[in-house]
mmCIF file of all heavy atoms in Angstrom:
data_model
loop_
_atom_site.group_PDB
_atom_site.id
_atom_site.type_symbol
_atom_site.label_atom_id
_atom_site.label_comp_id
_atom_site.label_asym_id
_atom_site.label_seq_id
_atom_site.Cartn_x
_atom_site.Cartn_y
_atom_site.Cartn_z
ATOM 1 N N ALA D 1 0.816 -1.240 0.006
ATOM 2 C CA ALA D 1 -0.009 0.023 -0.007
ATOM 3 C C ALA D 1 0.841 1.256 0.001
ATOM 4 O O ALA D 1 0.391 2.307 -0.457
ATOM 5 C CB ALA D 1 -0.939 -0.016 1.221
ATOM 6 N N ARG D 2 2.092 1.160 0.476
ATOM 7 C CA ARG D 2 2.956 2.329 0.590
ATOM 8 C C ARG D 2 3.869 2.520 -0.682
ATOM 9 O O ARG D 2 4.553 3.510 -0.807
ATOM 10 C CB ARG D 2 3.819 2.235 1.817
ATOM 11 C CG ARG D 2 3.021 2.450 3.101
ATOM 12 C CD ARG D 2 2.483 3.847 3.104
ATOM 13 N NE ARG D 2 1.644 4.113 4.299
ATOM 14 C CZ ARG D 2 1.167 5.282 4.564
ATOM 15 N NH1 ARG D 2 1.414 6.339 3.792
ATOM 16 N NH2 ARG D 2 0.422 5.427 5.615
ATOM 17 N N LEU D 3 3.897 1.558 -1.564
ATOM 18 C CA LEU D 3 4.622 1.661 -2.747
ATOM 19 C C LEU D 3 3.694 2.342 -3.847
ATOM 20 O O LEU D 3 2.781 1.716 -4.326
ATOM 21 C CB LEU D 3 5.150 0.292 -3.241
ATOM 22 C CG LEU D 3 6.173 -0.321 -2.346
ATOM 23 C CD1 LEU D 3 6.505 -1.729 -2.792
ATOM 24 C CD2 LEU D 3 7.406 0.546 -2.286
ATOM 25 N N ILE D 4 3.944 3.615 -4.097
ATOM 26 C CA ILE D 4 3.026 4.405 -4.904
ATOM 27 C C ILE D 4 3.768 4.959 -6.131
ATOM 28 O O ILE D 4 4.952 4.652 -6.357
ATOM 29 C CB ILE D 4 2.516 5.649 -4.066
ATOM 30 C CG1 ILE D 4 3.678 6.467 -3.576
ATOM 31 C CG2 ILE D 4 1.692 5.085 -2.902
ATOM 32 C CD1 ILE D 4 3.280 7.772 -2.936
ATOM 33 N N ASN D 5 3.094 5.781 -6.901
ATOM 34 C CA ASN D 5 3.685 6.454 -8.077
ATOM 35 C C ASN D 5 4.252 5.435 -9.025
ATOM 36 O O ASN D 5 5.462 5.419 -9.261
ATOM 37 C CB ASN D 5 4.730 7.530 -7.653
ATOM 38 C CG ASN D 5 5.228 8.305 -8.857
ATOM 39 O OD1 ASN D 5 4.582 8.342 -9.918
ATOM 40 N ND2 ASN D 5 6.339 8.900 -8.742
ATOM 41 N N THR D 6 3.432 4.681 -9.604
ATOM 42 C CA THR D 6 3.913 3.684 -10.610
ATOM 43 C C THR D 6 3.722 4.287 -11.987
ATOM 44 O O THR D 6 3.022 3.733 -12.854
ATOM 45 C CB THR D 6 3.137 2.356 -10.469
ATOM 46 O OG1 THR D 6 1.758 2.650 -10.506
ATOM 47 C CG2 THR D 6 3.466 1.642 -9.192
ATOM 48 N N SER D 7 4.402 5.424 -12.251
ATOM 49 C CA SER D 7 4.269 6.110 -13.520
ATOM 50 C C SER D 7 5.169 5.479 -14.579
ATOM 51 O O SER D 7 6.082 4.786 -14.232
ATOM 52 C CB SER D 7 4.603 7.600 -13.358
ATOM 53 O OG SER D 7 5.937 7.739 -12.953
ATOM 54 N N LEU D 8 4.882 5.826 -15.852
ATOM 55 C CA LEU D 8 5.663 5.240 -16.963
ATOM 56 C C LEU D 8 6.019 6.417 -17.906
ATOM 57 O O LEU D 8 5.197 7.282 -18.198
ATOM 58 C CB LEU D 8 4.819 4.198 -17.677
ATOM 59 C CG LEU D 8 5.536 3.570 -18.911
ATOM 60 C CD1 LEU D 8 5.410 2.069 -18.803
ATOM 61 C CD2 LEU D 8 4.977 4.128 -20.184
ATOM 62 N N THR D 9 7.257 6.399 -18.385
ATOM 63 C CA THR D 9 7.675 7.338 -19.423
ATOM 64 C C THR D 9 8.252 6.513 -20.560
ATOM 65 O O THR D 9 8.767 5.404 -20.371
ATOM 66 C CB THR D 9 8.719 8.336 -18.952
ATOM 67 O OG1 THR D 9 9.834 7.630 -18.426
ATOM 68 C CG2 THR D 9 8.173 9.250 -17.866
ATOM 69 N N ALA D 10 8.135 7.044 -21.753
ATOM 70 C CA ALA D 10 8.670 6.345 -22.940
ATOM 71 C C ALA D 10 9.471 7.373 -23.740
ATOM 72 O O ALA D 10 9.112 8.485 -23.892
ATOM 73 C CB ALA D 10 7.535 5.793 -23.791
ATOM 74 N N THR D 11 10.636 6.848 -24.254
ATOM 75 C CA THR D 11 11.552 7.708 -25.041
ATOM 76 C C THR D 11 11.804 6.979 -26.355
ATOM 77 O O THR D 11 12.065 5.763 -26.413
ATOM 78 C CB THR D 11 12.864 7.904 -24.295
ATOM 79 O OG1 THR D 11 12.594 8.351 -22.947
ATOM 80 C CG2 THR D 11 13.767 8.907 -24.940
ATOM 81 N N SER D 12 11.762 7.758 -27.433
ATOM 82 C CA SER D 12 11.972 7.186 -28.808
ATOM 83 C C SER D 12 13.493 6.913 -28.965
ATOM 84 O O SER D 12 14.310 7.370 -28.168
ATOM 85 C CB SER D 12 11.469 8.132 -29.878
ATOM 86 O OG SER D 12 12.287 9.239 -29.926
ATOM 87 N N SER D 13 13.810 6.215 -30.048
ATOM 88 C CA SER D 13 15.228 5.924 -30.317
ATOM 89 C C SER D 13 16.036 7.158 -30.577
ATOM 90 O O SER D 13 17.238 7.140 -30.461
ATOM 91 C CB SER D 13 15.304 4.916 -31.498
ATOM 92 O OG SER D 13 14.602 5.419 -32.598
ATOM 93 N N SER D 14 15.344 8.243 -30.916
ATOM 94 C CA SER D 14 16.080 9.521 -31.103
ATOM 95 C C SER D 14 16.361 10.224 -29.815
ATOM 96 O O SER D 14 17.086 11.233 -29.789
ATOM 97 C CB SER D 14 15.299 10.403 -32.058
ATOM 98 O OG SER D 14 14.106 10.858 -31.451
ATOM 99 N N GLY D 15 15.802 9.717 -28.706
ATOM 100 C CA GLY D 15 15.993 10.356 -27.405
ATOM 101 C C GLY D 15 14.873 11.276 -27.007
ATOM 102 O O GLY D 15 14.869 11.793 -25.933
ATOM 103 N N ALA D 16 13.913 11.473 -27.880
ATOM 104 C CA ALA D 16 12.762 12.343 -27.578
ATOM 105 C C ALA D 16 11.758 11.638 -26.679
ATOM 106 O O ALA D 16 11.417 10.478 -26.925
ATOM 107 C CB ALA D 16 12.056 12.802 -28.843
ATOM 108 N N VAL D 17 11.338 12.323 -25.661
ATOM 109 C CA VAL D 17 10.289 11.785 -24.802
ATOM 110 C C VAL D 17 8.981 11.762 -25.576
ATOM 111 O O VAL D 17 8.641 12.733 -26.222
ATOM 112 C CB VAL D 17 10.129 12.596 -23.473
ATOM 113 C CG1 VAL D 17 8.971 12.152 -22.678
ATOM 114 C CG2 VAL D 17 11.411 12.516 -22.664
ATOM 115 N N LEU D 18 8.294 10.633 -25.522
ATOM 116 C CA LEU D 18 6.998 10.548 -26.217
ATOM 117 C C LEU D 18 5.903 11.088 -25.299
ATOM 118 O O LEU D 18 5.666 10.550 -24.240
ATOM 119 C CB LEU D 18 6.691 9.051 -26.556
ATOM 120 C CG LEU D 18 7.698 8.417 -27.469
ATOM 121 C CD1 LEU D 18 7.462 6.906 -27.614
ATOM 122 C CD2 LEU D 18 7.694 9.056 -28.878
ATOM 123 N N PRO D 19 5.342 12.256 -25.610
ATOM 124 C CA PRO D 19 4.289 12.851 -24.788
ATOM 125 C C PRO D 19 3.221 11.885 -24.430
ATOM 126 O O PRO D 19 2.645 11.258 -25.301
ATOM 127 C CB PRO D 19 3.792 14.057 -25.570
ATOM 128 C CG PRO D 19 4.876 14.306 -26.573
ATOM 129 C CD PRO D 19 5.500 12.993 -26.882
ATOM 130 N N ASN D 20 2.888 11.757 -23.168
ATOM 131 C CA ASN D 20 1.849 10.860 -22.700
ATOM 132 C C ASN D 20 2.020 9.398 -23.171
ATOM 133 O O ASN D 20 1.073 8.668 -23.310
ATOM 134 C CB ASN D 20 0.433 11.362 -23.046
ATOM 135 C CG ASN D 20 0.175 12.728 -22.506
ATOM 136 O OD1 ASN D 20 0.447 12.950 -21.308
ATOM 137 N ND2 ASN D 20 -0.320 13.639 -23.263
ATOM 138 N N ALA D 21 3.330 9.057 -23.489
ATOM 139 C CA ALA D 21 3.649 7.717 -23.940
ATOM 140 C C ALA D 21 2.830 7.317 -25.144
ATOM 141 O O ALA D 21 2.395 6.173 -25.343
ATOM 142 C CB ALA D 21 3.506 6.688 -22.807
ATOM 143 N N GLN D 22 2.604 8.295 -26.117
ATOM 144 C CA GLN D 22 1.834 8.002 -27.295
ATOM 145 C C GLN D 22 2.686 7.476 -28.429
ATOM 146 O O GLN D 22 3.828 7.943 -28.635
ATOM 147 C CB GLN D 22 1.150 9.294 -27.735
ATOM 148 C CG GLN D 22 0.121 9.826 -26.799
ATOM 149 C CD GLN D 22 -1.005 8.890 -26.627
ATOM 150 O OE1 GLN D 22 -1.798 8.655 -27.519
ATOM 151 N NE2 GLN D 22 -1.126 8.393 -25.408
ATOM 152 N N ILE D 23 2.140 6.476 -29.112
ATOM 153 C CA ILE D 23 2.824 5.849 -30.249
ATOM 154 C C ILE D 23 1.951 6.070 -31.498
ATOM 155 O O ILE D 23 0.726 6.004 -31.411
ATOM 156 C CB ILE D 23 2.934 4.324 -30.002
ATOM 157 C CG1 ILE D 23 3.829 4.045 -28.786
ATOM 158 C CG2 ILE D 23 3.442 3.584 -31.223
ATOM 159 C CD1 ILE D 23 5.299 4.406 -28.979
ATOM 160 N N THR D 24 2.617 6.382 -32.641
ATOM 161 C CA THR D 24 1.903 6.497 -33.907
ATOM 162 C C THR D 24 2.612 5.618 -34.931
ATOM 163 O O THR D 24 3.650 5.034 -34.645
ATOM 164 C CB THR D 24 1.841 7.968 -34.362
ATOM 165 O OG1 THR D 24 3.178 8.343 -34.727
ATOM 166 C CG2 THR D 24 1.263 8.886 -33.308
ATOM 167 N N GLU D 25 2.122 5.650 -36.131
ATOM 168 C CA GLU D 25 2.788 4.887 -37.211
ATOM 169 C C GLU D 25 4.199 5.378 -37.442
ATOM 170 O O GLU D 25 5.070 4.611 -37.896
ATOM 171 C CB GLU D 25 1.972 4.973 -38.523
ATOM 172 C CG GLU D 25 2.490 4.080 -39.584
ATOM 173 C CD GLU D 25 1.633 4.038 -40.791
ATOM 174 O OE1 GLU D 25 0.978 5.012 -41.124
ATOM 175 O OE2 GLU D 25 1.667 2.988 -41.493
ATOM 176 N N ALA D 26 4.463 6.635 -37.123
ATOM 177 C CA ALA D 26 5.826 7.175 -37.229
ATOM 178 C C ALA D 26 6.836 6.429 -36.365
ATOM 179 O O ALA D 26 8.040 6.469 -36.649
ATOM 180 C CB ALA D 26 5.850 8.654 -36.871
ATOM 181 N N ASN D 27 6.394 5.757 -35.294
ATOM 182 C CA ASN D 27 7.263 4.976 -34.416
ATOM 183 C C ASN D 27 7.439 3.565 -34.875
ATOM 184 O O ASN D 27 8.145 2.791 -34.252
ATOM 185 C CB ASN D 27 6.714 5.008 -33.015
ATOM 186 C CG ASN D 27 6.503 6.378 -32.446
ATOM 187 O OD1 ASN D 27 5.379 6.848 -32.278
ATOM 188 N ND2 ASN D 27 7.586 7.113 -32.240
ATOM 189 N N ASP D 28 6.802 3.144 -36.005
ATOM 190 C CA ASP D 28 6.929 1.795 -36.487
ATOM 191 C C ASP D 28 8.388 1.388 -36.713
ATOM 192 O O ASP D 28 9.117 2.106 -37.348
ATOM 193 C CB ASP D 28 6.121 1.601 -37.784
ATOM 194 C CG ASP D 28 6.111 0.200 -38.250
ATOM 195 O OD1 ASP D 28 5.892 -0.710 -37.390
ATOM 196 O OD2 ASP D 28 6.301 -0.062 -39.434
ATOM 197 N N GLY D 29 8.820 0.297 -36.082
ATOM 198 C CA GLY D 29 10.140 -0.218 -36.253
ATOM 199 C C GLY D 29 11.156 0.436 -35.267
ATOM 200 O O GLY D 29 12.347 -0.021 -35.222
ATOM 201 N N GLN D 30 10.769 1.416 -34.538
ATOM 202 C CA GLN D 30 11.704 2.090 -33.615
ATOM 203 C C GLN D 30 11.829 1.288 -32.306
ATOM 204 O O GLN D 30 10.915 0.592 -31.838
ATOM 205 C CB GLN D 30 11.162 3.468 -33.209
ATOM 206 C CG GLN D 30 11.260 4.504 -34.301
ATOM 207 C CD GLN D 30 10.876 5.911 -33.796
ATOM 208 O OE1 GLN D 30 10.454 6.072 -32.645
ATOM 209 N NE2 GLN D 30 10.986 6.859 -34.688
ATOM 210 N N THR D 31 13.000 1.417 -31.701
ATOM 211 C CA THR D 31 13.261 0.876 -30.413
ATOM 212 C C THR D 31 12.894 1.961 -29.419
ATOM 213 O O THR D 31 13.393 3.105 -29.521
ATOM 214 C CB THR D 31 14.746 0.451 -30.202
ATOM 215 O OG1 THR D 31 14.995 -0.576 -31.154
ATOM 216 C CG2 THR D 31 14.963 -0.053 -28.806
ATOM 217 N N VAL D 32 11.985 1.638 -28.481
ATOM 218 C CA VAL D 32 11.485 2.582 -27.521
ATOM 219 C C VAL D 32 12.018 2.180 -26.134
ATOM 220 O O VAL D 32 11.991 1.000 -25.795
ATOM 221 C CB VAL D 32 9.955 2.658 -27.518
ATOM 222 C CG1 VAL D 32 9.425 3.562 -26.380
ATOM 223 C CG2 VAL D 32 9.505 3.150 -28.860
ATOM 224 N N THR D 33 12.519 3.154 -25.354
ATOM 225 C CA THR D 33 12.929 2.860 -23.992
ATOM 226 C C THR D 33 11.781 3.221 -23.074
ATOM 227 O O THR D 33 11.201 4.280 -23.112
ATOM 228 C CB THR D 33 14.169 3.737 -23.625
ATOM 229 O OG1 THR D 33 15.219 3.408 -24.527
ATOM 230 C CG2 THR D 33 14.618 3.473 -22.216
ATOM 231 N N VAL D 34 11.376 2.240 -22.284
ATOM 232 C CA VAL D 34 10.292 2.384 -21.374
ATOM 233 C C VAL D 34 10.845 2.407 -19.923
ATOM 234 O O VAL D 34 11.627 1.534 -19.557
ATOM 235 C CB VAL D 34 9.287 1.238 -21.535
ATOM 236 C CG1 VAL D 34 8.121 1.331 -20.563
ATOM 237 C CG2 VAL D 34 8.757 1.179 -22.980
ATOM 238 N N ALA D 35 10.378 3.380 -19.116
ATOM 239 C CA ALA D 35 10.850 3.409 -17.734
ATOM 240 C C ALA D 35 9.630 3.553 -16.821
ATOM 241 O O ALA D 35 8.793 4.433 -16.953
ATOM 242 C CB ALA D 35 11.756 4.634 -17.547
ATOM 243 N N ALA D 36 9.554 2.611 -15.915
ATOM 244 C CA ALA D 36 8.470 2.600 -14.914
ATOM 245 C C ALA D 36 9.048 2.883 -13.502
ATOM 246 O O ALA D 36 10.086 2.318 -13.166
ATOM 247 C CB ALA D 36 7.763 1.217 -14.884
ATOM 248 N N ARG D 37 8.391 3.760 -12.812
ATOM 249 C CA ARG D 37 8.865 4.182 -11.435
ATOM 250 C C ARG D 37 8.033 3.581 -10.356
ATOM 251 O O ARG D 37 6.810 3.382 -10.536
ATOM 252 C CB ARG D 37 8.789 5.711 -11.343
ATOM 253 C CG ARG D 37 9.726 6.408 -12.287
ATOM 254 C CD ARG D 37 9.467 7.917 -12.259
ATOM 255 N NE ARG D 37 10.333 8.576 -13.204
ATOM 256 C CZ ARG D 37 11.256 9.441 -12.891
ATOM 257 N NH1 ARG D 37 11.493 9.769 -11.635
ATOM 258 N NH2 ARG D 37 12.004 9.970 -13.854
ATOM 259 N N LEU D 38 8.646 3.397 -9.222
ATOM 260 C CA LEU D 38 7.988 2.900 -8.013
ATOM 261 C C LEU D 38 8.560 3.659 -6.833
ATOM 262 O O LEU D 38 9.805 3.610 -6.625
ATOM 263 C CB LEU D 38 8.221 1.391 -7.902
ATOM 264 C CG LEU D 38 7.556 0.666 -6.777
ATOM 265 C CD1 LEU D 38 6.032 0.664 -6.972
ATOM 266 C CD2 LEU D 38 8.040 -0.791 -6.740
ATOM 267 N N THR D 39 7.729 4.402 -6.128
ATOM 268 C CA THR D 39 8.202 5.230 -4.985
ATOM 269 C C THR D 39 7.624 4.716 -3.665
ATOM 270 O O THR D 39 6.421 4.409 -3.614
ATOM 271 C CB THR D 39 7.767 6.690 -5.225
ATOM 272 O OG1 THR D 39 8.313 7.155 -6.417
ATOM 273 C CG2 THR D 39 8.213 7.586 -4.095
ATOM 274 N N PHE D 40 8.476 4.655 -2.668
ATOM 275 C CA PHE D 40 8.029 4.341 -1.302
ATOM 276 C C PHE D 40 7.504 5.630 -0.709
ATOM 277 O O PHE D 40 8.242 6.604 -0.563
ATOM 278 C CB PHE D 40 9.187 3.786 -0.500
ATOM 279 C CG PHE D 40 8.839 3.147 0.822
ATOM 280 C CD1 PHE D 40 9.721 2.332 1.459
ATOM 281 C CD2 PHE D 40 7.622 3.352 1.440
ATOM 282 C CE1 PHE D 40 9.447 1.708 2.695
ATOM 283 C CE2 PHE D 40 7.288 2.776 2.700
ATOM 284 C CZ PHE D 40 8.220 1.973 3.303
ATOM 285 N N ASP D 41 6.222 5.704 -0.397
ATOM 286 C CA ASP D 41 5.529 6.850 0.073
ATOM 287 C C ASP D 41 6.342 7.586 1.168
ATOM 288 O O ASP D 41 6.584 7.022 2.211
ATOM 289 C CB ASP D 41 4.160 6.506 0.635
ATOM 290 C CG ASP D 41 3.298 7.686 1.014
ATOM 291 O OD1 ASP D 41 3.819 8.838 0.982
ATOM 292 O OD2 ASP D 41 2.123 7.498 1.283
ATOM 293 N N PRO D 42 6.799 8.829 0.912
ATOM 294 C CA PRO D 42 7.618 9.512 1.885
ATOM 295 C C PRO D 42 6.843 9.945 3.138
ATOM 296 O O PRO D 42 7.479 10.297 4.145
ATOM 297 C CB PRO D 42 8.095 10.772 1.103
ATOM 298 C CG PRO D 42 7.147 10.958 -0.004
ATOM 299 C CD PRO D 42 6.570 9.604 -0.319
ATOM 300 N N THR D 43 5.535 9.850 3.103
ATOM 301 C CA THR D 43 4.755 10.246 4.310
ATOM 302 C C THR D 43 4.407 9.014 5.171
ATOM 303 O O THR D 43 3.545 9.128 6.081
ATOM 304 C CB THR D 43 3.433 10.956 3.891
ATOM 305 O OG1 THR D 43 2.598 10.044 3.184
ATOM 306 C CG2 THR D 43 3.717 12.179 3.029
ATOM 307 N N THR D 44 5.072 7.924 4.941
ATOM 308 C CA THR D 44 4.790 6.706 5.741
ATOM 309 C C THR D 44 5.115 6.987 7.214
ATOM 310 O O THR D 44 6.282 7.381 7.531
ATOM 311 C CB THR D 44 5.670 5.549 5.231
ATOM 312 O OG1 THR D 44 5.357 5.298 3.843
ATOM 313 C CG2 THR D 44 5.382 4.252 6.011
ATOM 314 N N PRO D 45 4.165 6.857 8.109
ATOM 315 C CA PRO D 45 4.357 7.214 9.530
ATOM 316 C C PRO D 45 5.031 6.132 10.345
ATOM 317 O O PRO D 45 5.005 4.936 10.008
ATOM 318 C CB PRO D 45 2.942 7.500 9.995
ATOM 319 C CG PRO D 45 2.152 6.538 9.214
ATOM 320 C CD PRO D 45 2.785 6.453 7.861
ATOM 321 N N ASN D 46 5.613 6.621 11.462
ATOM 322 C CA ASN D 46 6.179 5.732 12.500
ATOM 323 C C ASN D 46 7.056 4.650 11.924
ATOM 324 O O ASN D 46 7.947 4.938 11.155
ATOM 325 C CB ASN D 46 5.046 5.152 13.354
ATOM 326 C CG ASN D 46 4.154 6.260 13.934
ATOM 327 O OD1 ASN D 46 4.660 7.303 14.396
ATOM 328 N ND2 ASN D 46 2.825 6.092 13.868
ATOM 329 N N LYS D 47 6.801 3.408 12.312
ATOM 330 C CA LYS D 47 7.630 2.303 11.850
ATOM 331 C C LYS D 47 6.841 1.386 10.880
ATOM 332 O O LYS D 47 7.186 0.258 10.705
ATOM 333 C CB LYS D 47 8.121 1.471 13.053
ATOM 334 C CG LYS D 47 9.038 2.191 13.970
ATOM 335 C CD LYS D 47 9.539 1.300 15.033
ATOM 336 C CE LYS D 47 10.561 1.996 15.895
ATOM 337 N NZ LYS D 47 11.174 1.106 16.829
#
């Protein structure tokens, strides 16, 4: 429950970030780098 923020970003082979991780036919055949994040909630109380 405390592992939050499971966001995803995608970057094209040219290094450009794909806005909202959108793919079109222009990306056909491209290698895309996908990065998913996982954050331990910094407001976790006590122990």
Side-chain angles (χ1 to χ4, degrees):
R2 290 295 178 173
L3 294 172
I4 60 171
N5 185 19
T6 54
S7 63
L8 180 132
T9 56
T11 309
S12 71
S13 53
S14 67
V17 173
L18 299 172
N20 300 314
Q22 295 297 295
I23 297 291
T24 68
E25 187 175 29
N27 303 111
D28 185 44
Q30 288 185 357
T31 298
V32 174
T33 301
V34 178
R37 296 172 183 244
L38 183 65
T39 300
F40 192 163
D41 186 353
T43 65
T44 302
N46 306 318
K47 294 184 176 188

